[in-house]
């Protein structure tokens, strides 16, 4: 492969690739982690075989990264018509090829449909139509294993512009003007960090990509690294040029094998092309990149822990009151940014600060990727302008609640985020609004909950997670979270005590005021935000032993209403512990001492009888049985 | 260049570069509580007893004075209401476990801590890291270390380390342990959860 020795070489290559891309039909098959697990590989083999069989030589098949709608994978988009097929199986390939590829017709039962309407084109599907996909835009068209593909889409042009038309200072100014804030959670202004690293006296500086992404359920960074690794690498190169670094690192968790593989390949191909190494594109700028495979603990994503790990020590937070921009990796000035932060950089340099800030609010500019999960109809990765409302994300993109249930709350910000209730559905999703509501942006997790979720139990879940993830170094975090966890576990079992809420609030102060790192200082958020909006639920659990969401097993009971039960015996046959007694055609009864509260009887009792009910507190059953 | 002026509890104090806020406060005779700090060891910042309030205009933050190096113009409060509130909550965890430790008991009295609501006992080890760091930094022996995460963290004897030729003759780590409970290091006893 010839090295690109100038910006002109790069532009020539871009034109050649773009020309080649114009011809014929392109089938873009998602081979991200999600679709891969759903069988993309078999679909790909079937597709290649079918095209060969029919001698369709001018059709290109591209294996791309994640399209964001993993739940409906494998996803196949036919370009240029943009017809998008969901849940594709190898068996359907011959039909897709003959109908769509050869004749431009739609295979109707494989496209998105809603309310009897068909949405054949990718950009018409409501899940995508309400998004603003800038960072993820190329994930549906790029083969992440081929640097030429990225260059054909205009990749590395931003780097060329930075190297040949802008001084490092001007690059920083452009980032500042764009208002880019860190996507790793804190929302710290990126340009301020860069400036501080640039102006530090030590000539040896580093730039680092934080790809730890330890939040359970989050995969925005994984999808960028898998689906468009060069965009992150190009961002890092521009950042390195701006701050004056000659060496950079990707820190990627080992649980992300495909992200690691694609990032490694991207680096190798960039080296071959002369986009990494000495005198990049013939300029005086030289830069090299290494990859550090992380051990994948949640706390390793914390900045001081992450740098410790790259240095070869235990990935544990350190006591350090010196800014990383003064003394970071190996004591040298260092800029650490999140994967998504870096991926925004080439867009800003290529299209300008004004274009970038045309999306978003005054204080939170640009777009943000969220991983939308939980009780919404459409789940997946969604990219929206900052300042979009929770309602837009949950209802327009997410398609509203599953099974016609009622929205109760959305948990944002990852395990140490908070729960936002329905009265704030019109709140804007930006750094400051979310913080004001007692939650946070975090890295962009969003879990939607309906009336079946008990908020005490939700808080318990996250606190239990954090208890396992606390490194245990500092006293407040280790002992505080552990105590919080035992209190919450008691409360959901109906063993709460009157002064538990005061104690929880005291621990929250201890955690936020005294912890050594951000894990401990934000660990009380799940409890504090649910106490703020759902205090009544805590009180019901403690004082009435009642769980109004009917979720906490210790506080519920199942009951068969004698007047409604026809004695069909379905529940009796299905009960896993034989807790239901009764003879055919006469009312059945649950032996509460045997019942394990699995809920099977409620599920199987035919709805025309509706004889089984779930109730809380469990003691209300006694009254019922007396009647 | 070498002399740094800062204000602690309203008093101006001169300190040398490389000193911590704790050093400077102690030079004024202020009794800042510490546990994981030791003059011969690097700052660890794990016990959080030494928290002080750093004022910057309208903003303020709590920092561990044992690891915060002095800078010109710092304004520090070592016993402000905010410090007292946090310190009291930290002491609630420590005082019930460290009943042999007279310093901790004295601080507990000073801050009005007389009961602990915490269930987990740290009687045998509060995980201050003094023994581990002493072995690493002073003895350069690395015979003991931390294993496990969160509540599973404990001090353990590192396999293949030099027990026979080093530890047997040393045992300094036991003298440094603030629990006063013998023998508390090397995972010979780990904090037990009271049932
Ligand atoms: C417990 C903890 C875990 C974190 N995990 C991550 C992570 O997985 N990815 C990330 O980018 N930032 C993470 N952060 C934030 C980083 O410390 C740091 O602020 C961020 O990488 C800076 O990049 P940004 O300015 O681009 O956001 C974490 C912070 C804490 C306290
Ligand atoms: S706050 Fe928690 S995770 Fe952070 S250093 Fe302390 S114990 Fe470790
Ligand atoms: S809830 Fe489950 S265990 Fe209890 S009676 Fe119904 S089926 Fe049986
Ligand atoms: S054994 Fe003693 S000195 Fe060592 S960490 Fe535990 S409490 Fe500290
Ligand atoms: S992996 Fe295919 S859409 Fe996410
Ligand atoms: S003495 Fe400073 S944190 Fe322990």
């Amino acid at each position: 492969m010839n090295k690109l020795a100038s910006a002109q070489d790069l532009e020539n290559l871009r034109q050649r690739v773009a020309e080649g891309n114009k011809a014929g039909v392109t089938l873009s098959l998602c081979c991200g982690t999600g679709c891969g697990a759903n069988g993309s590989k078999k679909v790909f083999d079937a597709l290649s075989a079918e095209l060969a069989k029919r001698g369709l030589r001018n059709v290109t098949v591209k294996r791309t990264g994640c399209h964001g709608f993993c739940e409906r994978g494998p996803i196949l988009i036919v370009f240029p018509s943009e017809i998008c097929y969901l849940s594709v199986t190898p068996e359907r390939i011959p039909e897709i090829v003959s109908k769509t590829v050869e004749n431009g017709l739609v295979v109707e039962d494989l496209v998105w449909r809603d309310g009897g309407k068909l949405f054949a084109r990718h950009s018409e599907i409501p899940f995508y139509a309400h998004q603003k996909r800038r960072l993820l835009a190329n994930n549906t068209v790029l083969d992440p294993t081929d640097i030429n593909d990225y260059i054909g889409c205009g990749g590395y042009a931003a780097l060329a512009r930075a190297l040949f038309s802008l001084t490092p200072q001007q690059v920083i100014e452009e980032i500042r003007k764009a208002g880019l804030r860190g996507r790793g959670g804190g929302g710290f202004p990126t340009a301020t960090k860069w400036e501080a690293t640039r102006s530090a006296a030590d000539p040896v500086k580093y730039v680092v990509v934080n790809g730890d992404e330890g939040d359970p359920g989050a995969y925005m960074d994984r999808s960028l690294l898998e689906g468009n690794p060069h965009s992150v690498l190009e961002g890092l190169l521009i950042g390195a040029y701006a701050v004056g670094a000659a060496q950079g690192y990707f820190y990627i968790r080992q649980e992300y094998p495909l992200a690691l593989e694609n990032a490694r390949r991207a680096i190798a191909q960039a080296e071959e092309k002369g986009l990494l190494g000495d005198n990049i594109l013939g300029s005086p700028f030289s830069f090299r990149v290494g990859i550090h495979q992380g051990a994948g603990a949640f706390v390793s994503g914390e900045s001081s822990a992450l740098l410790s790990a790259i240095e070869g020590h235990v990935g544990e937070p350190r006591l350090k009151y010196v800014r990383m921009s003064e003394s970071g990796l190996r004591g040298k000035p260092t800029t650490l940014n999140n994967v998504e932060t870096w991926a925004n950089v080439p867009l800003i340099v290529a299209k300008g600060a004004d274009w970038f800030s045309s999306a978003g609010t005054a204080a939170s500019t640009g777009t943000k990727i969220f991983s939308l999960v939980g009780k919404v109809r459409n789940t997946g990765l969604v990219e929206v302008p900052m300042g979009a409302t929770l309602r837009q994300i949950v209802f327009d993109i997410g398609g509203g609640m599953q099974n016609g249930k009622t929205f109760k709350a959305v948990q944002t910000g990852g395990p140490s985020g908070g729960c936002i209730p329905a009265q704030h559905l019109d709140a804007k999703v930006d750094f400051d609004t979310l913080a004001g509501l007692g939650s946070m942006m975090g890295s962009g997790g969003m879990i939607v909950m309906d009336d079946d979720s008990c908020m005490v139990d939700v808080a318990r879940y996250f606190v239990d997670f954090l208890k396992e993830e606390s490194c245990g170094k500092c006293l407040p975090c280790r002992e505080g979270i552990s105590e919080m966890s035992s209190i919450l576990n008691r409360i959901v079992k109906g063993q709460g005590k009157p002064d538990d809420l005061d104690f929880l609030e005291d621990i929250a102060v201890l955690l936020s005021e005294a912890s050594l790192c951000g894990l401990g200082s934000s660990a009380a958020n799940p409890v504090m935000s649910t106490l703020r909006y759902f205090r009544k639920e805590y009180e019901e659990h403690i004082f009435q032993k009642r769980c109004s969401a009917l979720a906490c097993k210790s506080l519920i009971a199942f009951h068969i209403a004698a007047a409604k039960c026809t004695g069909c015996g379905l529940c009796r046959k299905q009960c896993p512990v034989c807790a239901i007694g009764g003879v055919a055609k006469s009312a059945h009864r649950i032996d509460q001492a045997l019942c394990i509260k699995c809920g099977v009887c409620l599920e199987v009792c035919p709805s025309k009888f509706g004889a089984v009910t779930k109730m809380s507190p469990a003691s209300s059953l006694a009254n019922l049985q007396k009647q | 260049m070498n002399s740094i002026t800062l204000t602690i509890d309203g008093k101006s104090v001169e300190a040398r570069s490389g000193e911590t806020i704790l050093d400077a406060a102690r030079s004024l005779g202020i009794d800042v509580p510490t546990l994981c700090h030791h003059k011969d060891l690097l700052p660890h910042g794990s016990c959080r007893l030494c928290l002080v309030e750093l004022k910057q205009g309208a903003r303020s933050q709590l920092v561990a004075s044992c690891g915060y190096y002095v800078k010109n113009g710092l304004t520090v409060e070592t016993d402000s209401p905010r410090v007292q509130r946090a310190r009291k909550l930290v002491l609630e965890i420590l005082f019930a476990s460290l009943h042999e430790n007279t310093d901790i008991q004295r601080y507990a009295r000073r801050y009005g801590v007389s009961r602990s609501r915490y269930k987990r006992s740290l009687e045998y080890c509060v995980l201050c890291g003094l023994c581990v760091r002493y072995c690493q930094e002073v003895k350069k022996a690395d015979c003991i270390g931390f294993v496990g995460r969160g509540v599973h963290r404990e001090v353990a004897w590192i396999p293949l380390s030099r027990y026979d030729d080093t530890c047997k003759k040393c045992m300094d780590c036991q003298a440094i342990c603030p629990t006063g409970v013998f023998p508390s290091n090397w995972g010979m006893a780990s904090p037990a959860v009271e049932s």
Side-chain angles (χ1 to χ4, degrees), chain A residues 299 317 469-474 477-478 481 515-521:
Chain A
V299 74
E469 296 300 322
S470 159
C471 79
K473 177 172 181 172
C474 76
C477 172
R478 184 185 67 237
I481 299 181
S515 297
L516 172 58
C517 89
L519 189 148
S521 60

Side-chain angles (χ1 to χ4, degrees), chain B residues 40-107:
Chain B
D40 299 331
L41 303 176
L42 293 171
H44 191 52
S46 61
C47 77
R48 318 306 285 170
L49 253 191
C50 69
L51 290 177
V52 297
E53 186 171 356
L54 200 62
K55 301 240 179 190
Q56 285 147 321
R59 292 193 310 160
S60 88
Q61 84 187 103
L62 295 185
V63 299
S65 60
C66 69
Y68 200 109
Y69 294 95
V70 291
K71 280 188 251 178
N72 255 322
L74 289 183
T75 306
V76 177
E77 296 274 349
T78 68
D79 210 21
S80 64
R82 187 171 170 192
V83 171
Q84 290 176 7
R85 184 166 77 147
R87 201 171 276 163
K88 198 173 159 175
L89 289 163
V90 173
L91 278 166
E92 181 180 350
I93 305 175
L94 288 174
F95 107 106
S97 297
L98 297 182
H99 31 71
E100 306 284 323
N101 187 315
T102 50
D103 283 338
I104 295 294
Q105 296 306 318
R106 177 165 53 85
Y107 292 127

Side-chain angles (χ1 to χ4, degrees), chain A residues 176-485:
Chain A
R176 190 190 314 282
K177 216 176 128 211
L180 179 63
R181 293 172 67 175
R183 277 18 182 185
F188 195 79
T190 304
T192 308
K193 260 189 196 177
W194 290 18
E195 178 67 56
T197 308
R198 171 160 190 78
S199 52
D202 201 312
V204 178
K205 302 172 205 273
Y206 297 108
V207 283
V208 181
V209 180
N210 188 340
D212 187 55
E213 197 167 52
D215 303 21
Y219 59 108
M220 19 291 161
D221 295 346
R222 185 187 81 196
S223 290
L224 285 170
L225 289 169
E226 281 179 12
N228 198 351
H230 286 286
S231 68
V232 184
L233 181 57
E234 187 181 0
L236 189 68
L237 272 153
I238 295 171
Y241 170 71
V243 307
Q247 174 73 45
Y249 294 92
F250 276 71
Y251 181 101
I252 302 176
R253 61 190 346 232
Q254 65 186 12
E255 286 86 344
Y256 283 179
L258 187 57
L260 276 159
E261 183 188 325
N262 287 0
R264 280 205 182 98
R265 193 187 288 105
I267 291 170
Q269 292 184 349
E271 280 165 357
E272 280 174 37
K273 281 266 190 282
L275 290 162
L276 278 174
D278 290 330
N279 302 103
I280 293 168
L281 290 176
S283 75
F285 174 62
S286 302
F287 181 66
R288 284 174 173 74
V289 180
I291 290 196
H292 186 94
Q293 187 171 321
F298 178 63
V299 74
S300 332
E302 192 273 339
S303 44
S304 68
L306 184 139
L307 296 188
S308 276
I310 298 182
E311 287 169 4
H313 307 293
V314 189
E316 226 170 62
R318 279 197 262 183
L319 178 68
K320 248 185 151 189
Y321 291 112
V322 192
R323 281 202 189 283
M324 199 181 274
S325 49
E326 269 170 56
S327 168
L329 187 62
R330 303 180 192 116
K332 302 294 180 189
T334 303
T335 287
L336 171 72
N337 278 123
N338 167 258
V339 166
E340 192 179 331
T341 313
W342 288 117
N344 272 300
V345 170
L347 297 178
I348 295 171
V349 174
K351 304 191 178 193
D354 292 335
W355 170 85
F356 182 79
S357 57
S358 68
T361 63
S364 302
T365 50
T367 57
K368 174 80 192 86
I369 309 177
F370 294 93
S371 101
L372 181 66
V373 298
K375 301 293 180 61
V376 278
R377 285 169 59 215
N378 313 325
T379 63
L381 281 191
V382 308
E383 183 177 350
V384 290
M386 293 270 195
T389 64
L390 286 167
R391 190 184 300 282
Q392 285 165 341
I393 298 174
V394 173
F395 289 90
D396 296 345
I397 299 172
M401 305 302 290
Q402 285 171 10
N403 307 320
K405 296 254 173 151
T406 310
F407 173 93
K408 182 168 186 181
V410 56
Q411 204 275 353
T412 75
S416 33
C419 294
I420 302 175
Q423 75 247 39
H424 293 301
L425 263 176
D426 290 308
K428 288 183 179 222
V429 177
D430 60 49
F431 291 108
D432 312 301
T433 309
L434 290 182
L437 290 172
S439 186
M440 58 186 198
M441 179 76 80
S443 55
M446 233 179 231
I447 306 173
V448 180
M449 293 173 284
D450 63 21
D451 277 342
D452 293 340
S453 295
C454 163
M455 302 316 280
V456 184
D457 195 45
V458 166
R460 179 203 60 82
Y461 172 83
F462 288 111
V463 170
D464 278 353
F465 173 84
L466 292 167
K467 177 185 162 193
E468 292 307 313
E469 296 300 322
S470 159
C471 79
K473 177 172 181 172
C474 76
L475 188 85
C477 172
R478 184 185 67 237
E479 304 304 327
I481 299 181
S482 147
E483 192 65 32
M484 226 173 205
S485 152

Side-chain angles (χ1 to χ4, degrees), chain A residues 27-97:
Chain A
L27 297 170
S28 147
L29 174 66
C30 178
C31 292
T33 296
C35 291
N38 282 329
S40 308
K41 171 85 177 65
K42 290 209 174 91
V43 173
F44 176 77
D45 293 342
L47 198 50
S48 312
E50 189 66 24
L51 293 174
K53 196 170 103 192
R54 291 173 191 255
L56 294 170
R57 280 177 211 291
N58 62 341
V59 177
T60 322
V61 183
K62 259 188 205 170
R63 281 179 283 183
T64 71
C66 176
H67 294 191
F69 208 6
C70 318
E71 185 203 349
R72 310 289 164 132
I75 298 181
L76 177 69
I77 310 180
V78 184
F79 288 102
S81 66
E82 237 196 76
I83 294 168
C84 175
Y85 292 123
L86 305 166
S87 309
V88 176
T89 56
E91 296 72 45
R92 304 300 301 269
I93 289 300
E95 195 183 348
I96 292 176
V97 173

Side-chain angles (χ1 to χ4, degrees), chain B residues 3 24 34 60 76-77 93 110 124 127 134 150 168 172 193:
Chain B
S3 180
T34 59
S60 88
V76 177
E77 296 274 349
I93 305 175
R110 186 204 284 176
Y124 294 100
L127 297 155
Y134 181 85
K168 264 185 176 172
D172 288 355
V193 181

